Amino acid sequence: MCELLGMSANVPTDICFSFTGLMQRGGNTGPHSDGWGITFYEGRGFRTFKDPNPSSRSRIAELVQEYPIKSCAVISHIRQANRGGVSLENTHPFTRELWGRYWTFAHNGQLTEYQSLDTGRFNPVGQTDSEKAFCWLLNQMEERFPVMPQKLEPVLEFVASCCDQLRQLGVYNMLLSDGEYVLTYCSNNLHWITRRAPFGQASLIDEDVTIDFQKETTPNDVVTVIATQPLTNDENWHKMEVGEFNMFHYGEQVYNRTL
Amino acid sequence: MCELLGMSANVPTDICFSFTGLMQRGGNTGPHSDGWGITFYEGRGFRTFKDPNPSSRSRIAELVQEYPIKSCAVISHIRQANRGGVSLENTHPFTRELWGRYWTFAHNGQLTEYQSLDTGRFNPVGQTDSEKAFCWLLNQMEERFPVMPQKLEPVLEFVASCCDQLRQLGVYNMLLSDGEYVLTYCSNNLHWITRRAPFGQASLIDEDVTIDFQKETTPNDVVTVIATQPLTNDENWHKMEVGEFNMFHYGEQVYNRTL
């Protein structure tokens, strides 16, 4: 299995604190030593740092922990390989263009009978069930909506129903973003928290680090963090339900669908 | 205008030396201070480091100079913006999937009347003439060859003819790679050199650095470097001709077409 980390914020915010906790699980406090990646959106553009090497010993992960890249939407993943070998093309997140936007995807779980999924024009490059599922999902979205609809509600309902289908094939926890929205789907394991004023302190579970968010924020900041397992031990994380689908928009939860 | 840097090698090779020279031109010895990027292929996967900030003062560029990532195909670019603002979505290289492979593209030059290019299913995300030309090129390739042909020769001839068309719209120097091949097109300014045994010394033009390639290589290594302007002052770089198209495969020049 793997671990997911996502962020949605109303002002460009760095994710150094949460990322520091997650990276420890990549071969140190956790067994996820088969690569890691993180995608930061800045406007409509993005940049991804990834490494097929364990995050707890990665020089690039060190840079990302120390160098605060500020973003309103972040998707990150550390991998414990099941389907597909340990290689760069199998390292999440995956990014593809649809409707003139870059979509970024990360998956935690394992699917069976995914080989027959029709991915249309979106060809997987690597061998993972995850990339195959992502390509299938994008193809479904494009076939249903050849042009991006003005109203987002029907798109969301459709994406949620696609995720329901993928969950029939196994464990499917997902983060998906176009840089503006962060969409989540929970199959069995996904938590989230929204931080806003009055900000307090928080301590990482995986590393002896405490942060005082009040010193790092302004009173209007709204920052949501989504993670497979809670990253701090002194805050109230919400556990998502089986089949729960959420949309976060610049930090705020703006759509929720439970089964 | 911008500067291009590419590498094709028969064994995974780092590009720290050449990249160090190029990065000085991003705001230090050169005026190209509107962002930079570099894509390393490792097998069929890739990773890209990019920054909309000047390369000569970029913390991420520092890492790339110091941390030897070994690759058989590299595409890099430093930007002096003309079409499209300074932003991450306008920062080269651009990467898209076609035929189940990731294709990476960087362009030096400026095009006019590029707005009407038909990009089909490949939608530009940013506003540059370069990304538009890349999307058009991929769409042309896919329309002409819906499935990747076994024989590459006709594809190459076709890509060269597409580049000829783009050159009609302005200045079009290009690097294009799928991780195995590095294709180049020269509109007015592109140089290359192939280094092989017996290896000698070389000194950067832009920085007081000398390297003894003999210490860094094995006798069978073949490494080709392509750059807008020569990066060293004590080696014989070949200047490409107007309309010249080349293909490099694991370090060797395997195809050449001049007008």
Side-chain angles (χ1 to χ4, degrees):
Chain A
M1 302 288 276
C2 313
E3 293 215 24
L4 298 171
L5 171 64
M7 189 188 78
S8 171
N10 68 341
V11 290
T13 303
D14 78 69
I15 197 171
C16 295
F17 175 71
S18 300
F19 186 75
T20 297
L22 185 76
M23 289 300 99
Q24 300 309 314
R25 297 180 186 176
N28 201 350
T29 60
H32 317 281
S33 55
D34 299 325
W36 63 276
I38 186 166
T39 298
F40 299 90
Y41 279 92
E42 290 160 69
R44 305 186 75 176
F46 73 97
R47 44 183 158 176
T48 297
F49 297 84
K50 52 171 70 171
D51 207 335
N53 299 313
S55 55
S56 61
R57 297 189 293 276
S58 165
R59 176 86 186 270
I60 301 168
E62 257 175 49
L63 175 80
V64 175
Q65 285 173 63
E66 290 167 10
Y67 181 65
I69 295 176
K70 290 180 186 287
S71 171
C72 291
V74 177
I75 303 281
S76 181
H77 182 271
I78 51 176
R79 182 161 185 245
Q80 187 178 7
N82 42 57
R83 310 269 186 229
V86 177
S87 66
L88 204 47
E89 69 262 34
N90 289 337
T91 305
H92 306 223
F94 304 104
T95 301
R96 297 285 178 105
E97 174 267 320
L98 170 66
W99 301 328
R101 295 180 179 219
Y102 291 120
W103 293 82
T104 296
F105 171 96
H107 166 226
N108 152 254
Q110 188 164 355
L111 306 178
T112 55
E113 292 172 50
Y114 60 91
Q115 297 286 7
S116 59
L117 291 170
D118 177 13
T119 61
R121 71 169 178 99
F122 298 93
N123 304 296
V125 175
Q127 299 80 42
T128 61
D129 50 355
S130 308
E131 190 191 8
K132 182 93 173 172
F134 178 39
C135 289
W136 175 82
L137 179 60
L138 290 173
N139 190 50
Q140 291 283 317
M141 289 164 71
E142 187 175 48
E143 286 202 340
R144 177 71 185 78
F145 304 102
V147 176
M148 189 170 177
Q150 292 273 332
K151 288 199 175 181
L152 211 65
E153 196 89 349
V155 182
L156 292 173
E157 286 169 9
F158 181 72
V159 171
S161 73
C162 290
C163 293
D164 292 336
Q165 287 185 60
L166 289 168
R167 187 166 62 88
Q168 302 306 314
L169 305 182
V171 176
Y172 187 74
N173 301 296
M174 177 199 81
L175 299 179
L176 179 68
S177 180
D178 69 341
E180 190 175 344
Y181 298 96
V182 175
L183 312 180
T184 69
Y185 187 83
C186 176
S187 186
N188 65 350
N189 230 340
L190 208 52
H191 295 75
W192 65 284
I193 188 169
T194 299
R195 298 181 182 124
R196 64 177 86 231
F199 289 99
Q201 286 198 346
S203 303
L204 287 180
I205 293 172
D206 299 86
E207 175 84 309
D208 188 16
V209 175
T210 298
I211 192 168
D212 183 352
F213 285 117
Q214 187 142 18
K215 288 185 183 159
E216 312 283 333
T217 53
T218 65
N220 296 323
D221 292 9
V222 179
V223 181
T224 293
V225 175
I226 307 115
T228 298
Q229 294 295 334
L231 291 162
T232 57
N233 54 19
D234 43 10
E235 297 180 296
N236 287 322
W237 291 71
H238 309 282
K239 182 169 171 53
M240 292 186 193
E241 292 175 24
V242 176
E244 184 174 341
F245 176 85
N246 281 292
M247 178 167 82
F248 300 93
H249 187 238
Y250 294 123
E252 299 285 1
Q253 183 192 36
V254 292
Y255 182 86
N256 169 266
R257 191 222 61 178
T258 49
L259 292 179
Chain B
M1 301 288 276
C2 314
E3 293 215 25
L4 298 171
L5 171 64
M7 188 188 77
S8 171
N10 67 341
V11 290
T13 303
D14 79 68
I15 198 171
C16 295
F17 175 71
S18 299
F19 187 74
T20 297
L22 186 75
M23 288 300 99
Q24 301 309 314
R25 297 181 185 175
N28 202 351
T29 59
H32 317 281
S33 56
D34 298 325
W36 63 276
I38 186 166
T39 298
F40 299 90
Y41 279 91
E42 290 161 68
R44 304 186 75 176
F46 73 97
R47 44 183 157 176
T48 297
F49 297 83
K50 52 171 71 171
D51 207 336
N53 299 315
S55 55
S56 62
R57 297 189 294 275
S58 165
R59 177 87 184 269
I60 301 167
E62 256 175 50
L63 176 81
V64 176
Q65 285 174 62
E66 289 166 10
Y67 180 66
I69 295 176
K70 290 179 186 286
S71 171
C72 292
V74 176
I75 303 281
S76 180
H77 182 271
I78 52 175
R79 182 160 184 245
Q80 187 179 5
N82 42 57
R83 310 268 185 228
V86 177
S87 65
L88 204 47
E89 69 264 32
N90 289 337
T91 304
H92 306 223
F94 304 104
T95 302
R96 297 285 178 104
E97 174 268 322
L98 171 66
W99 302 328
R101 295 181 178 218
Y102 291 119
W103 293 83
T104 296
F105 170 96
H107 167 225
N108 152 255
Q110 187 165 354
L111 306 178
T112 54
E113 292 172 51
Y114 60 92
Q115 297 287 6
S116 59
L117 291 171
D118 177 12
T119 61
R121 71 168 177 100
F122 298 92
N123 304 297
V125 175
Q127 300 78 42
T128 61
D129 49 355
S130 308
E131 190 191 9
K132 182 96 174 170
F134 178 38
C135 290
W136 175 82
L137 179 60
L138 290 174
N139 190 50
Q140 291 283 316
M141 289 164 71
E142 187 175 49
E143 286 202 342
R144 177 72 185 76
F145 304 102
V147 176
M148 190 171 177
Q150 292 273 331
K151 288 199 174 180
L152 211 64
E153 195 90 351
V155 181
L156 292 172
E157 286 169 9
F158 182 71
V159 171
S161 74
C162 290
C163 293
D164 292 335
Q165 287 185 60
L166 289 169
R167 187 166 61 88
Q168 302 305 314
L169 305 182
V171 176
Y172 187 74
N173 301 296
M174 176 199 82
L175 299 179
L176 178 68
S177 180
D178 69 343
E180 190 176 344
Y181 299 96
V182 175
L183 312 180
T184 70
Y185 188 83
C186 175
S187 186
N188 66 351
N189 230 340
L190 208 51
H191 295 75
W192 66 284
I193 188 169
T194 299
R195 297 181 182 124
R196 64 177 85 232
F199 290 99
Q201 286 199 346
S203 303
L204 287 180
I205 294 171
D206 299 85
E207 175 84 310
D208 188 16
V209 176
T210 297
I211 192 168
D212 183 352
F213 286 117
Q214 187 142 20
K215 288 185 183 160
E216 312 282 332
T217 52
T218 65
N220 296 323
D221 292 9
V222 179
V223 181
T224 293
V225 175
I226 307 116
T228 297
Q229 294 295 335
L231 291 162
T232 57
N233 54 20
D234 44 9
E235 297 180 297
N236 287 323
W237 290 71
H238 309 282
K239 182 169 171 51
M240 292 186 193
E241 291 174 23
V242 175
E244 183 174 343
F245 176 85
N246 281 291
M247 179 168 80
F248 300 94
H249 187 239
Y250 294 123
E252 298 285 359
Q253 183 192 38
V254 292
Y255 182 86
N256 169 266
R257 191 223 60 178
T258 49
L259 292 178

